[in-house]
Amino acid sequence: MADPYVRQARNVFTGTIGSTDVGAGDALYFDGTDWELADASLHTTFAEAFATHSFKIGETGTLCTSCIIVDTDAPYTQGASLYLSETAGAITATIPTTNAAVR
């Protein structure tokens, strides 16, 4: 299994990682203090940035607002629409189905 990685990161900045370790390409939101995994299930945790690498809790990490996420194991079709998943930090090719989910 190949680990995802980020290419062509744009609008790069630094931020403190919150209460969960993050991996390259994880979708994140800012909670007012630090960066946490975004989740389509809650309207207040929509994706604002992506982690450019893997970072541990409390580390200062590099984030970006636009990038290409390369994941050779991902079951996505090139050029297809992707959505924030109802699984924290993940993206998916399936539109979230929960009524309150961010689409």
Side-chain angles (χ1 to χ4, degrees), residues 17-88:
I17 304 304
S19 61
T20 307
D21 293 347
V22 301
D26 280 352
L28 304 170
Y29 78 98
F30 187 66
D31 71 359
T33 303
D34 47 32
W35 291 87
E36 301 284 354
L37 294 173
D39 186 336
S41 298
L42 302 171
H43 286 301
T44 58
T45 65
F46 56 89
E48 299 176 75
F50 295 94
T52 61
H53 297 85
S54 295
F55 300 103
K56 300 282 185 196
I57 296 168
E59 286 185 330
T60 298
T62 54
L63 314 174
C64 64
T65 60
S66 175
C67 63
I68 295 172
I69 300 170
V70 179
D71 186 348
T72 57
D73 296 342
Y76 307 129
T77 302
Q78 183 175 351
S81 296
L82 296 175
Y83 306 90
L84 179 60
S85 176
E86 293 182 80
T87 300

Side-chain angles (χ1 to χ4, degrees), residues 3 32 40 51 55 66 90 94 97:
D3 289 329
F55 300 103
S66 175
T94 305
T97 57

